[in-house]
Amino acid sequence: MMMQNLAAYFSSLSHAERKKLVENHAKEIATWVIKGDGYIIVGVKDNINFNTPELESAIDLCLLYKYGIARSSKNLGKHRLYYSMKLPAKKIEKIEKYYGNKLSLTKAIDNISFSVDKGEFIAIMGASGSGKTTLLNCISTIDKVSSGHIFLGNTDITKLKGNNLNKFRREKLGFIFQDFNLLDQFCLKDNILLPLVLAGVKPEQMEPKVYPLAKKLGIEELLEKYPYEISGGQKQRVAVARALITNPQLILADEPTGALDSKATDSILALFNQINEDGQTILMVTHHMEEVILADRIIVMDDGKINGIGTHEELLAKNEIYREVYESQTQGGGDFDENGGEA
């Protein structure tokens, strides 16, 4: 595609298509990038002509997606001054988690640091006892870290307490559990709306939110039913709707297909892929390789530490634990057993 056609084409693309386009065309835009404290200078190729506002805007969008930067009003000729705009959706800094007391102390999480970019899909995998669920619980504020910091945007959630923590959890995070956690005494619509009810949203503001979301997730015909009247796969779709209803900054999923059959699992994985392509940030714990390979990046946990982090291809090439699990599962072997070995 010629760069001059990019402006007209860019606005029609999905989140995933834009990311792919940027990967392909960023090399055509910039010759070099210098990163400073809060700014980036981009050297633009001679054949790129900022001759129309539309083309300039499209190129800026490309650079925003690729480098997480936005152009300043200052014009430096061929060189453009950009400001860093890409704050991580989630940033984890040197967190540790201990259980027990001085006489019997267990370190479940050992000095872990990483970040999750906005719109990124990250999978956390590892054997039972590796610390992956404890890590998710700390990130989700279900459990408190013993030391370190966890940021969502500019907010250090390790500093939040009481009502402030409850409000933050309710408004900024969406939770999806293996066992659905739906309330049988409520119909599906009320289950989905529960986070808004707890947030004190007025009924007339809630109703317009639920039906478009239910239609998108394929459950609009089920809203008046109760959880005991539907299948496991349908329950998980309702749980996804409940997680999305507050428009959270981050979705946290703990073994979301663990209680589903293969057909329902495929359906839920396709749904996760869809909501991620729409721009939703997702952090998911799993031990199933078919789920892991959908992620943009994968974190391999072992003995409370990060053993490796990267794409599927990167880990397959350089991470022994990841390669062994992949080969075991793709060749008909089992998942990790409860004792931390392969089943």
Side-chain angles (χ1 to χ4, degrees):
M1 178 185 300
M2 296 295 292
M3 286 300 299
Q4 280 71 16
N5 296 331
L6 184 59
Y9 182 63
F10 201 84
S11 62
S12 66
L13 299 179
S14 69
H15 176 74
E17 289 170 332
R18 288 184 184 190
K19 287 200 297 186
K20 184 176 180 180
L21 182 70
V22 170
E23 290 294 332
N24 292 338
H25 285 287
K27 294 178 182 177
E28 298 180 22
I29 297 170
T31 54
W32 46 262
V33 175
I34 297 178
K35 297 183 180 181
D37 184 13
Y39 68 89
I40 296 178
I41 297 177
V42 176
V44 181
K45 287 189 174 180
D46 290 340
N47 62 338
I48 300 300
N49 183 14
F50 292 90
N51 55 0
T52 67
E54 293 80 10
L55 180 58
E56 187 165 335
S57 176
I59 293 173
D60 285 346
L61 281 171
C62 273
L63 291 169
L64 177 64
Y65 268 75
K66 175 65 177 176
Y67 298 115
I69 55 181
R71 182 167 52 85
S72 76
S73 58
K74 186 175 182 180
N75 192 335
L76 302 179
K78 289 182 181 179
H79 302 159
R80 296 291 175 118
L81 180 64
Y82 289 78
Y83 290 108
S84 178
M85 299 291 287
K86 196 171 185 179
L87 284 174
K90 198 85 171 182
K91 186 177 181 182
I92 291 84
E93 289 186 347
K94 299 180 179 180
I95 65 169
E96 296 186 338
K97 179 63 182 178
Y98 300 91
Y99 293 106
N101 51 46
K102 291 182 179 179
L103 297 176
S104 178
L105 198 62
T106 300
K107 184 183 282 189
I109 297 295
D110 188 359
N111 194 31
I112 283 181
S113 299
F114 67 94
S115 63
V116 183
D117 288 335
K118 185 177 180 181
E120 193 172 22
F121 187 172
I122 286 189
I124 304 173
M125 63 172 292
S128 298
S130 63
K132 62 183 186 296
T133 298
T134 302
L135 175 60
L136 189 72
N137 287 344
C138 289
I139 293 171
S140 66
T141 72
I142 292 174
D143 209 347
K144 291 186 70 69
V145 299
S146 301
S147 65
H149 301 276
I150 301 173
F151 295 90
L152 186 62
N154 289 317
T155 302
D156 184 352
I157 64 175
T158 64
K159 304 293 186 183
L160 298 177
K161 297 180 180 179
N163 291 335
N164 288 334
L165 177 59
N166 293 334
K167 183 175 185 292
F168 179 86
R169 185 188 294 134
R170 190 169 57 238
E171 295 179 356
K172 304 299 184 182
L173 304 178
F175 299 89
I176 302 172
F177 303 96
Q178 178 177 333
D179 55 359
F180 321 125
N181 284 9
L182 301 178
L183 301 177
D184 280 343
Q185 64 268 39
F186 292 159
C187 70
L188 302 183
K189 183 176 79 170
D190 289 343
N191 267 280
I192 295 169
L193 290 174
L194 185 58
L196 298 181
V197 174
L198 295 174
V201 177
K202 295 179 180 180
E204 59 269 23
Q205 295 174 324
M206 291 191 287
E207 291 291 329
K209 291 178 178 289
V210 68
Y211 289 103
L213 182 58
K215 184 176 181 180
K216 180 179 180 180
L217 301 184
I219 54 173
E220 69 272 24
E221 302 297 329
L222 305 175
L223 290 178
E224 299 306 321
K225 291 183 177 291
Y226 287 80
Y228 52 81
E229 297 179 303
I230 62 175
S231 69
Q234 291 170 328
K235 288 179 181 178
Q236 197 59 294
R237 284 180 174 266
V238 174
V240 171
R242 181 184 58 192
L244 291 172
I245 194 71
T246 59
N247 192 28
Q249 292 185 26
L250 180 66
I251 290 288
L252 298 149
D254 188 7
E255 302 281 4
T257 66
L260 304 179
D261 59 28
S262 59
K263 183 177 180 181
T265 292
D266 291 342
S267 176
I268 292 299
L269 292 182
L271 179 59
F272 268 68
N273 196 47
Q274 175 190 342
I275 63 176
N276 176 244
E277 287 186 352
D278 290 340
Q280 179 63 60
T281 310
I282 301 174
L283 190 62
M284 176 179 68
V285 163
T286 183
H287 58 270
H288 296 298
M289 192 55 65
E290 66 268 26
E291 299 174 16
V292 168
I293 62 178
L294 291 176
D296 297 317
R297 285 191 299 153
I298 302 149
I299 295 173
V300 181
M301 294 288 296
D302 183 44
D303 196 25
K305 300 178 181 180
I306 292 180
N307 180 270
I309 183 167
T311 65
H312 168 68
E313 292 78 11
E314 290 169 347
L315 291 174
L316 202 58
K318 66 183 182 182
N319 188 273
E320 184 176 349
I321 292 177
Y322 186 84
R323 185 166 55 249
E324 287 179 357
V325 175
Y326 176 78
E327 291 174 352
S328 173
Q329 292 193 27
T330 56
Q331 293 173 10
D335 299 326
F336 284 120
D337 67 17
E338 293 303 314
N339 296 316
E342 290 177 39

